[in-house]
Amino acid sequence: MEDVGFALLTGGRRCPSRHTVGGWRRHLPWYEVDAFCRRTSPWHLIDNQVALVSYDEHTIPRWTRKYKIGKGYVTTRNKHMRCEKLFYTYDLFSHRFLAVRATRGDVDLLDQAVPLTRQTLACGQPSYLHAVLDAGAGKSDAGVRALWDLTQEYPHLDVTLRACRYPHRVSAWKQWPSGLFTAYEEAGPYVGAAAKEIRLAETATVLKGESAEQAVRTVVCREIVPGPKKDRWHPLFTTTTVSPLDVLTMFRARQRHEQAYRVGVYDECLDAVPCAYDKESPDPRRPRFHRGPLQMLGWLMALVYNTLGDWAGELTGDWQDCHVRTLRRTFLNRPGHLYGTPEALIVQWDPFAGQEALLPMLDTFNAAGHRIPWLENRRLVLALTPRGRGARGP
């Protein structure tokens, strides 16, 4: 917040103070935030395309004891505690965030799965959508049936979700003979590691209160674990007709969504977003909920992730899919000089390793002739300092 260059390039002579930014943030109404999210969501990425989209929640723990807010399960703490949640829509083909929705901590993916899928179908308009969800969307058989009913409403929609490992179902799968499984070998967890074995089988699961004709197609994956540890079981409910191995491969692509959360937490401080409960509520046992600031900053994190991902793809060299921290350390957090003339504002970086990757992008930017209206319409010029060997010392 003390970078003069940032202030000049974003509309001011100096950066606002943290108190001013906090005031802006506190007065964000939810309907204005929703309008901003709608207008900046990159739905064009899946417009009239075959889309593989993941829906998942990110839980933000809160340690308040004064205010009684909803509790949810926090995986990093392995317990239920007071929290707030951000539900993200993520495109697994382009590796970009598509939408976000902020909620209280006691809202589950089970409650948001159908609305988020409808939002993608209505706003993205894909020619075919395959929705991938974690086990939170299948905590109850009624939630699974709601998603399956949605596929009947939209013929170009398929759903794959990880089924909950209920004990009575897992015990039944363990009784199956080995001849029902098809064995496959996969690469180990690291280079040079021994290949691991997985076994796939296909069955149909009758949901609670339904008949056998309404059974749901189920792909059961048994991961063989050598040694004294037990094998891992991964059941998947799906509406697709592809082979079990293809179903497992598409579901595993959801790991890119989880990786994006890790980048948001460790590179963009996602868990430091402001709380949504109102600290000025008259009754701490029933505090008001303002989702505007929480959703706004959560979506700004996603926009930074998307923008830097697009920017890295234009650099010279192998910078695609680099983390935000790497790009910031290599290119963004660099010292330099600002030179102001009556006609131009020149930004010149000090020499650094790897600056050659910026040359094609800077040539394209300077050729476009961008001007800064709030600086007397000066032209913005970006320049690098040549890296040369200094003079010989005494």
Side-chain angles (χ1 to χ4, degrees):
M1 300 302 293
E2 298 177 357
D3 189 350
V4 179
F6 175 79
L8 292 176
L9 296 178
T10 53
R13 299 290 181 173
R14 60 184 178 87
C15 291
S17 66
R18 64 184 182 90
H19 305 287
T20 304
V21 175
W24 291 342
R25 186 260 302 167
R26 284 190 297 271
H27 292 84
L28 283 173
W30 66 268
Y31 49 88
E32 296 289 355
V33 173
D34 276 355
F36 175 79
C37 294
R38 286 194 306 268
R39 297 180 182 182
T40 55
S41 296
W43 294 115
H44 63 277
L45 296 175
I46 62 173
D47 183 21
N48 201 25
Q49 302 290 328
V50 176
L52 182 64
V53 178
S54 172
Y55 305 92
D56 199 10
E57 63 188 25
H58 178 70
T59 306
I60 303 171
R62 303 299 187 191
W63 282 270
T64 178
R65 294 188 178 181
K66 178 179 179 181
Y67 300 93
K68 187 177 180 181
I69 63 177
K71 289 188 176 182
Y73 179 70
V74 181
T75 55
T76 56
R77 297 283 172 171
N78 194 24
K79 65 178 181 179
H80 284 80
M81 59 181 296
R82 292 185 173 92
C83 63
E84 292 166 345
K85 293 183 178 181
L86 291 169
F87 290 86
Y88 283 97
T89 303
Y90 187 84
D91 183 17
L92 297 176
F93 284 155
S94 62
H95 306 157
R96 298 292 180 267
F97 287 102
L98 297 178
V100 69
R101 183 172 298 179
T103 66
R104 302 176 185 269
D106 52 1
V107 178
D108 293 325
L109 185 60
L110 177 70
D111 308 314
Q112 296 292 325
V114 173
L116 291 177
T117 307
R118 287 186 181 274
Q119 180 190 32
T120 305
L121 292 168
C123 300
Q125 296 292 324
S127 60
Y128 170 77
L129 173 62
H130 190 162
V132 181
L133 302 104
D134 201 7
K139 288 183 177 180
S140 68
D141 289 350
V144 177
R145 178 49 58 188
L147 287 169
W148 259 240
D149 291 341
L150 191 64
T151 61
Q152 299 297 323
E153 183 179 349
Y154 296 92
H156 59 292
L157 170 66
D158 277 320
V159 175
T160 297
L161 64 89
R162 184 167 67 87
C164 293
R165 290 183 283 259
Y166 292 118
H168 66 283
R169 291 176 180 172
V170 175
S171 61
W173 297 332
K174 290 182 178 180
Q175 302 301 322
W176 289 354
S178 59
L180 296 179
F181 291 88
T182 303
Y184 298 92
E185 279 194 355
E186 292 185 333
Y190 54 89
V191 177
K196 62 180 181 180
E197 179 185 356
I198 62 170
R199 299 176 184 177
L200 297 178
E202 184 176 344
T203 184
T205 302
V206 178
L207 301 180
K208 184 178 180 181
E210 296 185 355
S211 60
E213 291 77 9
Q214 298 175 291
V216 176
R217 185 192 179 196
T218 307
V219 175
V220 180
C221 174
R222 180 180 182 181
E223 184 179 350
I224 306 300
V225 179
K229 294 184 179 180
K230 298 180 180 180
D231 296 343
R232 299 190 182 98
W233 295 80
H234 308 287
L236 301 175
F237 291 157
T238 183
T239 61
T240 61
T241 57
V242 298
S243 64
L245 183 59
D246 291 337
V247 173
L248 180 64
T249 302
M250 287 187 291
F251 181 79
R252 283 179 170 177
R254 202 189 66 83
Q255 188 61 29
R256 294 302 299 260
H257 193 173
E258 298 289 352
Q259 180 67 24
Y261 283 155
R262 295 188 183 97
V263 173
V265 171
Y266 293 106
D267 296 6
E268 302 184 59
C269 302
L270 176 58
D271 284 351
V273 293
C275 57
Y277 60 91
D278 188 2
K279 296 181 179 179
E280 297 180 358
S281 299
D283 187 2
R285 294 173 298 178
R286 300 184 64 182
R288 293 185 292 259
F289 181 76
H290 297 323
R291 66 181 177 93
L294 174 63
Q295 182 168 318
M296 181 68 175
L297 295 189
W299 182 235
L300 287 180
M301 184 282 303
L303 290 180
V304 171
Y305 179 91
N306 293 349
T307 303
L308 288 181
D310 297 339
W311 183 72
E314 300 177 5
L315 297 175
T316 302
D318 188 15
W319 297 98
Q320 188 69 30
D321 295 332
C322 281
H323 290 183
V324 173
R325 184 186 307 179
T326 303
L327 297 174
R328 182 180 67 234
R329 181 179 63 249
T330 307
F331 299 106
L332 303 182
N333 191 15
R334 286 290 173 184
H337 296 82
L338 294 175
Y339 300 97
T341 68
E343 298 294 333
L345 176 66
I346 303 173
V347 180
Q348 184 177 16
W349 283 276
D350 293 346
F352 62 92
Q355 65 180 10
E356 294 78 11
L358 293 173
L359 288 176
M361 183 181 299
L362 296 186
D363 292 340
T364 304
F365 182 88
N366 293 330
H370 296 282
R371 294 189 175 274
I372 308 177
W374 53 86
L375 287 179
E376 291 80 29
N377 207 32
R378 288 185 173 91
R379 181 176 177 178
L380 178 60
V381 180
L382 307 180
L384 297 174
T385 303
R387 298 178 60 197
R389 182 171 297 179
R392 186 184 296 272

